[in-house]
Amino acid sequence: MQLSQDFIDDMRELLGEAESGRLIASLDEWTPVSVRFNTSKLSQLPSVGTPVPWDGSAVYLPSRPSFTFDPLFHAGCYYVQEAGSMFVNAVLRQYVTHPVRMLDLCAAPGGKSTLSASVLPEGSLLVANEVVRQRARILVENIVKWGIPHVVVTNNEAAQFAPFVHAFDVILTDVPCSGEGMFRKDPKAVDEWSRANVALCYQRQRQILSDIWPSLKPGGILIYSTCTFNTHEDEENVWWIARELGAEFLPVCVHPAWGITSSLLPGHDMPVYRFLPHKTRAEGFFLAVLRKHGDAPDSFGSMPAPALRGKSVRASGKTVRSAVSQQELEKVRGWVDIPGSAYEFQPTSDSVRLFPADHVDFLKFIQSSSLNVLLAGITVASLKGREFVPHHALALTTVLRRDAFPLVEVDYAMAVAYLRGEALQLPGDFPRGFVLLTYRHHPIGFCKNLGVRANNLYPQEWRIHSSHVPDVSPSFI
């Protein structure tokens, strides 16, 4: 790896000659492969790999399988995620013990969002936001595959959240950074690195934090993280948050064996957590937790409607379709398995979605603001002609009622053919209509059996395009 001499000099100043040498040498080593299992879909964690010590649902794999051709990956049974970023799990489990509203501000591609959705206490709501439109689409795909209903996905700048005064109990800001910690995974980050870019990054990070700060409740928690090494974007920024915005540091329980490094900023002894690849089995990662000054609500996680400051309320983009009959809604209700009145069915102009009842008012609040909502809850059905048909998201949700549809368990070859968007041939005696396909008993999507053939309903934009298909499944589960 050809590193900038400026970067090498900066690392020597930060770590010393010997330690920086070990760090730089580690950047030429093999990158660990880690995955986190979806405990809502897997009743028992697979006995595979080596456990990630700070996340009980994650493991390191001995090699990198061809995830693209594993149907269980597309079914949302696991997520491929860098191990260091899974440390958010330890933070949430330590400090979030009651239902909360949480914002993941820079969420794509979705690793920390799917983790948070799994870890947050029941009754919570997660808003996962991404400013870059194309990356936001990838975020939507990964959230849909994960299958948990209490998530809203938005596509906005941080400044567009500022009017949502005290709206969130927890805000995660995995801010855009210079990417020094990803050098061995991303050669482009090596080529783009410069001291000037580091300066631009930490200034941009402070602007993002200033923009989003009004949205955090007094007493609320900010989780700040980067995937870089330098102190400008790490320690100096979190010290600036504490001093200028008003917050106190919160310590996170760690085990010495994990090899996590503390603050590297001279004269500033504060609880921050550095993952250095020559010491921890992870890429470069930095995290700090801060609590905003001010009196916390009577119950952490209480959910009064936030104040919408300086904005006029406009109507939501989609309107309820008045032609939806009670009979149609009852049919759709029969497709999901949900407790009592925990969720609300919401007909729109072209679909029916399922959304947590406790957060319906907040969703309306979001829709009446300037935020661009890409996804809210689970889309259960979409309108085709004059009838509602099962949406692909329904197949992947954790609240799917499987006995609502005929099931076809497919082998590996047929599963990949389905994921490639190919036409399918089902057994001749199989009932016509919508059929749920499963692979190793995990739903992968719907098709419509016409008798002589079956229409493939897998989303076109998600299809596997590679012409090379392995002879056997690469699945490690």
Side-chain angles (χ1 to χ4, degrees):
M1 182 183 298
Q2 189 64 43
L3 297 171
S4 162
Q5 186 61 47
D6 284 344
F7 173 75
I8 294 173
D9 292 343
D10 287 352
M11 291 302 100
R12 284 173 177 163
E13 182 177 354
L14 180 67
L15 299 171
E17 184 73 31
E19 193 79 1
S20 65
R22 286 190 285 270
L23 169 66
I24 290 170
S26 73
L27 300 182
D28 283 320
E29 296 174 357
W30 179 71
T31 301
V33 180
S34 48
V35 299
R36 181 172 40 78
F37 296 115
N38 190 338
T39 54
S40 296
K41 294 188 176 184
L42 300 173
S43 57
Q44 184 175 357
L45 294 183
S47 298
V48 62
T50 305
V52 174
W54 44 85
D55 190 325
S57 63
V59 298
Y60 298 100
L61 299 178
S63 61
R64 187 177 187 88
S66 179
F67 296 116
T68 299
F69 289 100
D70 184 0
L72 297 183
F73 170 71
H74 296 275
C77 292
Y78 64 90
Y79 189 95
V80 185
Q81 184 177 3
E82 200 285 305
S85 66
M86 297 181 196
F87 187 60
V88 171
N89 172 77
V91 176
L92 294 177
R93 291 191 182 277
Q94 181 173 342
Y95 284 108
V96 182
T97 58
H98 303 286
V100 295
R101 278 196 304 253
M102 175 176 172
L103 170 64
D104 184 355
L105 183 63
C106 312
K112 297 179 186 67
S113 288
T114 53
L115 182 155
S116 300
S118 293
V119 172
L120 289 176
E122 185 176 353
S124 298
L125 179 72
L126 172 69
V127 177
N129 177 73
E130 172 57 42
V131 64
V132 180
R133 182 71 179 190
Q134 183 56 39
R135 285 171 55 82
R137 293 192 184 101
I138 296 171
L139 174 62
V140 167
E141 177 181 348
N142 287 324
I143 292 294
V144 169
K145 288 178 176 178
W146 205 246
I148 294 179
H150 52 268
V151 183
V152 175
V153 178
T154 58
N155 170 216
N156 296 275
E157 297 275 357
Q160 292 175 277
F161 283 92
F164 287 72
V165 178
H166 302 169
F168 298 100
D169 304 281
V170 181
I171 297 181
L172 168 61
T173 55
D174 186 43
V175 289
C177 68
S178 58
E180 296 164 351
M182 303 301 288
F183 277 1
R184 62 182 176 183
K185 290 185 66 176
D186 185 5
K188 186 178 179 182
V190 178
D191 297 336
E192 293 180 347
W193 186 92
S194 69
R195 286 173 174 166
N197 188 42
V198 169
L200 287 174
C201 284
Y202 84 74
Q203 292 166 11
R204 180 188 180 193
Q205 290 154 1
R206 292 188 182 187
Q207 184 61 57
I208 290 172
L209 292 161
S210 297
D211 288 341
I212 202 61
W213 194 250
S215 300
L216 183 62
K217 291 180 181 179
I221 291 174
L222 177 80
I223 304 171
Y224 176 90
S225 65
T226 72
C227 55
T228 202
F229 300 129
N230 68 81
T231 59
H232 304 300
E233 299 177 73
D234 292 344
E235 284 92 343
E236 291 177 27
N237 263 357
V238 295
W239 183 255
W240 175 86
I241 294 170
R243 184 183 69 248
E244 298 297 328
L245 299 183
E248 62 176 325
F249 288 95
L250 296 179
V252 182
C253 296
V254 298
H255 194 284
W258 297 354
I260 298 175
T261 302
S262 57
S263 175
L264 295 177
L265 186 63
H268 292 78
D269 184 17
M270 49 189 163
V272 300
Y273 305 89
R274 282 180 166 272
F275 292 69
L276 302 176
H278 66 295
K279 289 187 171 183
T280 53
R281 196 174 178 185
E283 299 304 301
F285 186 67
F286 173 92
L287 182 142
V289 186
L290 301 100
R291 190 189 301 279
K292 185 175 183 177
H293 285 165
D295 294 331
D298 292 339
S299 173
F300 184 67
S302 62
M303 301 189 183
L308 184 62
R309 184 181 66 189
K311 292 286 183 179
S312 59
V313 175
R314 64 175 176 81
S316 176
K318 288 188 176 181
T319 57
V320 173
R321 174 176 167 266
S322 59
V324 177
S325 68
Q326 188 62 34
Q327 183 179 5
E328 286 177 301
L329 280 178
E330 287 304 316
K331 179 180 73 171
V332 171
R333 288 178 190 274
W335 295 346
V336 296
D337 182 13
I338 55 176
S341 58
Y343 294 91
E344 181 179 290
F345 288 86
Q346 300 180 332
T348 71
S349 58
D350 58 4
S351 65
V352 176
R353 67 179 169 224
L354 187 70
F355 195 78
D358 287 345
H359 300 283
V360 167
D361 287 344
F362 188 67
L363 176 60
K364 292 177 181 177
F365 187 86
I366 291 175
Q367 291 171 323
S368 66
S369 72
S370 60
L371 296 187
N372 180 27
V373 178
L374 302 183
L375 177 73
I378 299 293
T379 303
V380 179
S382 54
L383 185 64
K384 300 294 184 183
R386 294 187 176 183
E387 69 169 338
F388 281 112
V389 301
H391 192 274
H392 182 70
L394 173 65
L396 301 182
T397 181
T398 56
V399 296
L400 167 69
R401 182 178 174 182
R402 294 197 186 190
D403 61 2
F405 301 94
L407 298 178
V408 173
E409 173 73 10
V410 299
D411 60 14
Y412 177 67
M414 191 170 181
V416 172
Y418 174 74
L419 296 171
R420 288 168 56 89
E422 298 175 7
L424 304 175
Q425 182 70 50
L426 300 182
D429 59 348
F430 214 78
R432 299 191 181 193
F434 295 103
V435 173
L436 180 65
L437 302 181
T438 62
Y439 173 73
R440 295 178 59 181
H441 306 293
H442 291 284
I444 58 174
F446 291 105
C447 68
K448 188 172 185 179
N449 187 24
L450 304 177
V452 294
R453 62 182 174 83
N455 286 347
N456 191 323
L457 302 181
Y458 193 71
Q460 184 174 358
E461 64 273 20
W462 295 1
R463 292 175 181 175
I464 298 174
H465 297 294
S466 174
S467 58
H468 170 72
V469 179
D471 294 329
V472 296
S473 171
S475 181
F476 52 88
I477 297 178

